[in-house]
Amino acid sequence: MLKTRIITAIALVAAFLPALFLASNIVWAISMLLISVAALYEWANLIDLPKSVSIVYAAICAIFGAVLVSLLMQYGFHWLFYQSLLIFAVSLIFWILLVPVLLAKYFIARNKAVLMVIGFLMIMPLWLALIFAKGANPWLLLSLLATIWIADSAAYFAGKNFGKHKLAPSVSPGKTWEGVLGAFIGVTLFAAVLYGAGLVTHLAVFPLLWVVTALGVVGDLFESLIKRQFNKKDSGNILPGHGGILDRIDGLLPSLPIAVLAIYLFNYFQAVS
C-alpha cells in the first residue's frame, strides 16, 4: 500500500508541476475544471445520489464552469476575479460559521438537494481559487499547496509518534491534538524558511499559513463526517493508494479559497491605507 501511495504521489506531482508553470491560464482553468467536475461526481456518489442524477449534477456544474471559462476568455482574469469575490465570501461563511457547528453537533443534512448545494459550495470556489492563485503567481499557489502537504505530513508524523489526545473521536478517531500541533509546527518552520530566504517579505505570512493549516483540518474533518454519515471509507478509488480526488483535496476545499480572499483583502487594505 505504501509503495502504491508513493508511486501515485510521484505521478501526480510529475503531471502537476509542468502544468502549473507551463500551461496558459485558460488551459489551466479547463484542466482544473475537469478535475473539479470529477470531484463533484465523487461527491454525488458519496452522498448516494442515483447514477443518473449524479451524471446530470456533474454535467450542470461542468456547463456552469464552461460558461465561466468563456467569460474569462472574453473579459479577462481580473474581471472574473472581482465577480468571484462574492463566491469566496459565501465559502468563508460556510466554512467558518456553518461547518464548525455541524462538526460540533455531529450532524449533516440528509436532504439530497441541500447536499448537492453543499458539494457545489465546497468544490467550485476551490476551482476558482486554483485559477486565480495560479494566474497571480504560480509560486503563490505552490506555496499554499505546500502548506497543506507539509501540515498533513507533520500531523501524520506527530500523531503517530506522540498522539494521545483525540481531536474529534466521533468524526475521525485517528486524528489527535498532538497531530494538529505537529502540523502547526511544520507550517511555522515552512513560513520561517519563506521569510528568512526573502521569498516573502511580510510577517503576515505566518498568520496566513496558520489559518490555512487550521482550515485544512476543518476540511479534513468535514469530509470524514460525511463519509461516516454515509458509511464510506473513501470518496472514490481513482487514485491508487489514496482513494478518491476528494480524499486528496479535502484540506484545500476551505483553505485555498479563503486564503485567496485573505490575500486580496490584505493587499487591498495595504494599498488604501
Side-chain angles (χ1 to χ4, degrees), residues 1-24:
M1 176 63 76
L2 179 59
K3 181 179 178 181
T4 303
R5 287 176 64 88
I6 292 173
I7 292 173
T8 301
I10 292 173
L12 290 173
V13 171
F16 176 80
L17 290 180
L20 176 61
F21 288 99
L22 300 178
S24 68

Side-chain angles (χ1 to χ4, degrees), residues 45-214:
N45 290 330
L46 186 61
I47 62 175
D48 291 333
L49 289 181
K51 186 171 183 179
S52 58
V53 177
S54 299
I55 293 173
V56 172
Y57 174 58
I60 291 174
C61 293
I63 292 170
F64 176 79
V67 170
L68 291 183
V69 171
S70 67
L71 291 173
L72 173 62
M73 297 172 65
Q74 183 175 359
Y75 294 107
F77 177 88
H78 291 93
W79 180 87
L80 183 60
F81 176 77
Y82 289 122
Q83 307 308 310
S84 302
L85 287 175
L86 179 60
I87 296 177
F88 289 147
V90 172
S91 179
L92 174 67
I93 293 171
F94 173 74
W95 287 107
I96 298 296
L97 298 182
L98 179 59
V99 169
V101 173
L102 297 177
L103 290 172
K105 294 183 176 295
Y106 193 69
F107 172 81
I108 189 63
R110 291 283 181 175
N111 183 282
K112 300 298 185 181
V114 171
L115 288 167
M116 290 167 72
V117 172
I118 287 175
F120 182 85
L121 288 176
M122 289 168 53
I123 296 169
M124 295 310 286
L126 174 60
W127 172 60
L128 291 169
L130 286 165
I131 294 173
F132 298 136
K134 192 266 186 190
N137 189 329
W139 288 104
L140 168 63
L141 177 54
L142 184 60
S143 297
L144 293 173
L145 295 176
T147 300
I148 292 297
W149 298 334
I150 290 170
D152 286 345
S153 299
Y156 176 79
F157 173 81
K160 185 175 182 179
N161 290 280
F162 308 108
K164 294 181 179 179
H165 302 87
K166 299 296 184 181
L167 174 63
S170 60
V171 177
S172 184
K175 292 181 176 57
T176 64
W177 283 105
E178 289 81 3
V180 173
L181 178 60
F184 275 93
I185 292 173
V187 167
T188 300
L189 293 175
F190 178 55
V193 169
L194 292 177
Y195 185 78
L199 300 174
V200 177
T201 59
H202 204 289
L203 287 173
V205 65
F206 287 93
L208 172 64
L209 297 194
W210 291 334
V211 169
V212 168
T213 302

